[in-house]
Structures are given as structure tokens and as C-alpha cells.
Amino acid sequence: MALPVRRSSSPPERWDPFQELGELHTRIGELMEGNWAGLTDRASGIWSPLVDIEETDDAWLVEAELPGVKQEDIDVEVSDSELAISGELKERERKGILRRRTRRTGRFDYRVTLPGEADAERIEASLKEGVLTVRVPKPERARRRRIEIRSA
């Protein structure tokens, strides 16, 4: 006995390449987070900001990307020649449904050992347009000096 075949009156679902690209983007992001262990500690959720360090004759300039972080939520400390930047990026309250999340929130921590002594009394830090700039001066005795060569 043949069974009747039920046919749907609605057209078949169309392939959505953008949905597949979104899923691929999410999976690649998860894969990269797993490979870049230095950027995120998955167990604690602590992440490290992107940082540039520039050395000049008289100081080290450390620039950390911290968009959305308030000045009062950042701590900058120096111990011997180690610079530590830590704080928290607080998640803002949302009214709608969050469909995708790729920006980091929560506690962050960045530590670097500078290649020489630091003049801890004259360190300056400023936050402008989401970039924290820390200027760590070198002590006078550690600065590069040009030595004039005399003829014999």
C-alpha cells in the first residue's frame, strides 16, 4: 500500500550566505581566542589591552588601547622596573537584544618589565580618546649621552 506524500505549500528555505559568514566569523574568533592565551585568561576572564612601547633618549612611552574605560577605573603602578596597568571595563546597560558581541568587558591586566631603571617620581599618565599614555622617564644616569672624541 502506498502512503500519501504530503507536499508543503511554502517554498523551500533559501540559503543565506551572510548567516553562514557570521557563524564562520564567530567560530574563527573563538579559535583565535584559544590560540592567543596571552590576550585572555579564559578561566578568570582577565584580558590584556593592545599596547605599543616606544623608547626615546629620556623615557619609555607606553600606549594602551582602552576604549570606553573611565579614568577612575584604571590603575597604573610601577615597582622597580615593572609597569603594571590594570582596571575594569564595565559593561553598559543595554535596552535591546545583544545579537553579537566581539568587544571585551571585565577586568584587564597588562604588565611589562622595562629594559632599564625608571624614575618613579616623575611618571606621568594621561587618557585621551581611549588611549592611555604612560610616560616613564629614565633616570639621569641611565640616559644616553654623546661622548666627544678628542684627537690624541
Side-chain angles (χ1 to χ4, degrees):
M1 173 175 151
L3 296 174
V5 177
R6 183 173 184 185
R7 302 210 186 263
S8 173
S9 60
S10 62
E13 194 172 308
R14 294 193 62 173
W15 175 61
D16 184 4
F18 296 108
Q19 180 181 359
E20 286 194 22
L21 282 173
E23 290 173 10
L24 179 64
H25 181 268
T26 302
R27 288 183 183 175
I28 289 175
E30 291 170 357
L31 177 67
M32 295 304 285
E33 276 187 26
N35 288 334
W36 301 103
L39 296 178
T40 303
D41 179 357
R42 285 187 169 261
S44 65
I46 296 175
W47 54 276
S48 293
L50 300 175
V51 175
D52 288 340
I53 301 175
E54 177 183 352
E55 182 176 4
T56 63
D57 287 340
D58 63 342
W60 290 281
L61 298 174
V62 180
E63 295 176 326
E65 288 186 11
L66 296 170
V69 181
K70 295 180 181 171
Q71 182 175 334
E72 58 268 13
D73 293 333
I74 303 171
D75 294 317
V76 178
E77 297 176 356
V78 174
S79 175
D80 295 326
S81 60
E82 181 183 68
L83 173 68
I85 300 170
S86 60
E88 183 175 9
L89 175 56
K90 296 177 180 169
E91 187 170 348
R92 66 181 177 89
E93 187 177 324
R94 300 187 185 276
K95 296 182 181 175
I97 298 170
L98 185 61
R99 297 288 184 184
R100 175 166 297 175
R101 178 189 197 130
T102 57
R103 298 184 341 178
R104 299 181 186 274
T105 57
R107 302 258 338 132
F108 62 87
D109 187 40
Y110 177 80
R111 294 177 185 276
V112 64
T113 301
L114 299 170
E117 293 181 49
D119 187 351
E121 300 300 318
R122 298 184 337 178
I123 294 175
E124 301 170 351
S126 63
L127 182 66
K128 182 179 178 185
E129 297 178 358
V131 177
L132 173 70
T133 302
V134 181
R135 184 177 185 281
V136 183
K138 296 176 183 177
E140 189 67 38
R141 65 183 177 276
R143 293 184 189 169
R144 185 182 308 172
R145 288 186 280 283
R146 182 165 175 6
I147 309 299
E148 187 175 330
I149 302 172
R150 295 182 283 181
S151 55

